[in-house]
Amino acid sequence: MSPLEPARARRVAVLGGTRVPFARSDGPYATASSQEMLTAALNGLTDRYDLRGPGAVGEFVAGAVLKHSRDFNLARETVLGSALDPRTPAYDVQQACGTGLQAIVAAANKIALGQTESAVAGGADTASDAPLGVNDGLRRILLEARRARSAAARLKALARIRPGHLVPDVPRNAEPRTGLSMGEHAAVTARAWGISRRAQDELAATSHQRLAAAYDRGFFRDLVVPFRGLERDQNLRPDSTPEKLAALKPVFGLDHPNPTMTAGNSTPLTDGAALVLLASEEWAKARGLAPLAYLTACETAAVDFVHGDVADGEDGLLMAPAYAVPRLLERTGLDLADFDVVEIHEAFASQVLATLAAWEKRGLPPLDRARLNPTGSSLATGHPFAATGARIVATLARQLAERDAPGKGLISICAAGGQGVTAILERP
Ligand SMILES: CC(=O)SCCNC(=O)CCNC(=O)[C@H](O)C(C)(C)COP(=O)(O)OP(=O)(O)OC[C@H]1O[C@@H](n2cnc3c(N)ncnc32)[C@H](O)[C@@H]1OP(=O)(O)O
């Protein structure tokens, strides 16, 4: 085939996944960097799937939302400190909370086009080890001092430093263009869609109960590698009930009557890392690895939450999947009812419920709740931003494989910046 001829897409197998247990920020992983957590996940995957040795993996694609300047190319630095062959090419991807899934899609597309045979993809994040920046005023003075051509000019620049310059630049969990936090944006959307407190608390309790049940039956045995003394997600509270959650005080949307969002029906700030192993069918067969599922389609969307009406539920910050999923279904000729499992990232319970309401408004059938996040999701596991995509892909692939029958799974992830990343996994 000439390089100018279009390549025929190959099927991309999801072979497995590994993550460290997720931890609440400023807890057990407070002194761990994203790179250390990503390395632990990568070494776990390398051991489990025997990925040592020259050229075992074609590419490593990963990312982090909160990144230190020393992690210029976090993925490559991680490879160099891991058990993987140091000659494995690696690069970073960043699409906020969609990072992990977008990294997986980028790697899968190369495999589909025959440009590589295998890849590891995912992400890591830590709010505990957040990259504090030098404040902008001080940064400008230091740059000027560095450029100075004489000692006198350097001293003159440095003499402008004032105590206020020592205040660090702390990354904010807020949209730069609106100044509102993710939670405040979600509270606006929750009001617009009339999402009740009770419905949010029920969804959150279900997430905890299902995650606990999945751990108890050994579902995560192959998916989680212990790290720093943790064997399960630290945020998990198996005894969560809507009644207990109803006692928590609201934390977002306090400027309106009857605020509904609490620490219990919102994800906590979380540290962790997750990865998946992807490959062509030929590569998997040659290594004797059975595909869990195939990544067969993906779709992204973005909403204009900046110029639109802030109180408009349609274009709320986290509502892009309400556009991406109908488009994905139209393009693939599938219906919501065709999916055995639907994995919606739970940034906030209200955002999941608003997404479901928006899908129905766009003519999709109501979702059978038994199929929604059957092994729990981010409200229970926690949400280390860039790690969530790989957690969900690995979890969904394992669920489809467990059924031991043909099946389909849908993934929907909302992201900061008004974006949504969605995908389909299938087991023929
Ligand atoms: C695209 C996206 O994904 S956007 C999403 C991005 N992520 C975010 O924006 C993170 C949002 N989360 C946050 O900012 C914070 O976690 C907050 C503001 C919600 C809560 O922060 P905190 O107040 O520090 O929460 P904290 O963990 O202390 O919990 C508050 C209380 O609720 C309790 N609680 C929390 N969850 C539960 C639960 N499931 N069951 C019972 N009690 C609970 C805690 O025990 C605590 O009780 P206490 O005050 O008696 O100790």
Side-chain angles (χ1 to χ4, degrees):
M1 187 185 70
S2 147
L4 291 176
E5 280 177 43
R8 211 159 42 86
R10 305 186 297 173
R11 290 208 298 189
V12 180
V14 180
L15 298 175
T18 304
R19 66 182 176 89
V20 298
F22 292 170
R24 295 170 66 87
S25 293
D26 299 320
Y29 302 170
T31 57
S33 65
S34 283
Q35 201 184 122
E36 283 171 80
M37 292 187 289
L38 205 53
T39 304
L42 182 54
N43 286 344
L45 205 63
T46 303
D47 287 345
R48 190 156 290 149
Y49 295 96
D50 195 16
L51 303 176
R52 287 170 201 270
V57 170
E59 273 192 355
F60 180 61
V61 190
V65 175
L66 297 169
K67 222 167 75 160
H68 289 274
S69 51
R70 65 170 180 263
D71 289 332
F72 192 56
N73 181 345
L74 173 66
R76 181 67 185 137
E77 292 305 322
T78 300
V79 166
L80 290 172
S82 76
L84 209 61
D85 182 358
R87 286 157 294 192
T88 309
Y91 65 94
D92 281 12
V93 165
Q94 216 274 35
Q95 199 175 18
C97 305
T99 297
L101 183 53
Q102 195 58 265
I104 289 165
V105 168
N109 286 347
K110 277 203 168 182
I111 295 168
L113 290 176
Q115 295 168 356
T116 191
E117 293 302 316
S118 64
V120 172
D125 254 302
T126 159
S128 308
D129 187 37
L132 298 188
V134 173
N135 107 16
D136 216 38
L138 180 58
R139 191 175 63 83
R140 284 175 196 286
I141 292 172
L142 293 175
L143 287 171
E144 194 183 316
R146 202 184 59 168
R147 278 193 299 267
R149 291 183 176 270
S150 66
R154 194 168 301 125
L155 276 177
K156 193 176 163 204
L158 294 175
R160 297 209 317 273
I161 297 176
R162 297 285 173 270
H165 284 130
L166 300 179
V167 176
D169 187 5
V170 182
R172 289 189 59 224
N173 183 16
E175 279 297 328
R177 288 173 192 281
T178 63
L180 294 181
S181 70
M182 307 290 122
E184 288 302 333
H185 269 285
V188 172
T189 304
R191 269 198 308 277
W193 287 94
I195 308 297
S196 73
R197 167 80 187 261
R198 174 76 191 180
Q200 293 176 50
D201 289 344
E202 280 172 358
L203 191 108
T206 302
S207 188
H208 283 273
Q209 288 160 10
R210 289 182 177 180
L211 181 68
Y215 267 110
D216 289 348
R217 69 184 168 83
F219 176 83
F220 289 106
R221 211 173 12 242
D222 290 344
L223 297 177
V224 173
V225 282
F227 184 68
R228 297 214 173 181
L230 271 193
E231 294 190 354
R232 286 185 174 203
D233 304 308
Q234 188 205 10
N235 186 57
L236 172 59
R237 296 181 187 229
D239 60 346
S240 291
T241 60
E243 291 69 33
K244 282 186 187 160
L245 290 167
L248 299 180
K249 63 179 194 313
V251 290
F252 297 118
L254 302 180
D255 50 342
H256 278 73
N258 306 319
T260 56
M261 293 176 55
T262 67
N265 59 38
S266 306
T267 46
L269 291 167
T270 312
D271 307 336
L275 292 168
V276 296
L277 174 63
L278 306 162
S280 66
E281 287 182 278
E282 296 78 8
W283 189 93
K285 200 170 168 197
R287 296 200 158 233
L289 296 170
L292 300 176
Y294 295 88
L295 179 65
T296 55
C298 69
E299 181 78 44
T300 54
V303 292
D304 182 1
F305 67 97
V306 181
H307 303 100
D309 178 0
V310 174
D312 177 8
E314 300 287 335
D315 283 345
L317 178 75
L318 304 178
M319 293 302 281
Y323 296 91
V325 165
R327 247 165 32 202
L328 181 65
L329 298 181
E330 197 183 331
R331 198 151 54 73
T332 53
L334 294 170
D335 188 84
L336 201 51
D338 292 328
F339 292 94
D340 306 277
V341 179
V342 174
E343 287 284 335
I344 305 181
H345 156 51
E346 298 165 339
F348 302 96
S350 64
Q351 146 269 324
V352 175
L353 295 165
T355 301
L356 292 175
W359 285 349
E360 280 191 45
K361 194 174 169 191
R362 284 172 179 59
L364 272 46
L367 180 64
D368 168 10
R369 292 296 184 87
R371 299 179 184 203
L372 173 65
N373 301 342
T375 57
S377 187
S378 312
L379 286 168
T381 60
H383 168 43
F385 313 124
T388 289
R391 174 188 67 74
I392 293 178
V393 168
T395 303
L396 176 56
R398 169 69 65 208
Q399 287 176 86
L400 293 175
E402 207 179 35
R403 296 160 46 84
D404 202 22
K408 292 185 179 56
L410 176 68
I411 299 173
S412 169
I413 299 181
C414 61
Q419 305 203 74
V421 189
T422 64
I424 293 174
L425 296 193
E426 293 185 52
R427 186 170 165 90

